[in-house]
Amino acid sequence: MRRTSRALAMTALAACGLTGLGAAPATASTDVLLPHPGPEGLVWVAEHTGDGGVASGGAWDRLPTVLTVACEGGGDVRVTMSQESQIAAFSVDCPADEAGVGSVTMDPGVVRPGSFVIGVDASADNIRWALTVTQPES
């Protein structure tokens, strides 16, 4: 129960921290790029268009951390995760007519307890993306 409450609080915090650096607002879509991550989720950004990112907290260092990004629209996104220094970076190809998905799994201890920042740099303003950060317990 405590983990679920923490995950919901972190998802709300993440939604408040979402930034769109000069990007147009996301349009509503019935196409979900990434489903809600459930009780293992620390962050869920359901949809955003163009450049953006999220700041969150509540990470544990005793569990693995999985950062997943899905995108579409033609082009790509470059994703970085930082805690004082960069701890993960990868790119995802974003096909024009379907979702591309990329993910990185970090071993326990790579993500330290506390806050982290994720940046998403889209190659075009029309790139639609979603992201999740999870800490699976099993």
Side-chain angles (χ1 to χ4, degrees):
M1 181 69 144
R2 180 181 153 175
R3 182 147 171 89
T4 301
S5 297
R6 181 177 68 92
L8 291 174
M10 291 304 102
T11 300
L13 175 63
C16 291
L18 185 66
T19 61
L21 306 172
T27 58
S29 173
T30 57
D31 248 353
V32 175
L33 292 170
L34 287 175
H36 188 277
E40 295 178 339
L42 297 178
V43 175
W44 178 45
V45 176
E47 182 175 323
H48 192 74
T49 304
D51 294 338
V54 63
S56 188
W60 292 2
D61 61 350
R62 295 184 182 188
L63 295 171
T65 303
V66 181
L67 168 58
T68 303
V69 175
C71 60
E72 68 179 13
D76 60 23
V77 294
R78 172 116 173 101
V79 183
T80 57
M81 183 173 185
S82 302
Q83 282 187 311
E84 294 183 22
S85 63
Q86 185 172 289
I87 56 176
F90 61 98
S91 294
V92 182
D93 289 329
C94 309
D97 55 357
E98 64 183 353
V101 179
S103 186
V104 63
T105 300
M106 294 159 273
D107 290 333
V110 172
V111 176
R112 295 179 309 278
S115 64
F116 56 87
V117 176
I118 298 169
V120 179
D121 182 21
S123 63
D125 289 341
N126 68 316
I127 303 285
R128 183 171 76 106
W129 57 268
L131 71 79
T132 61
V133 177
T134 58
Q135 287 194 306
E137 293 189 44
S138 51

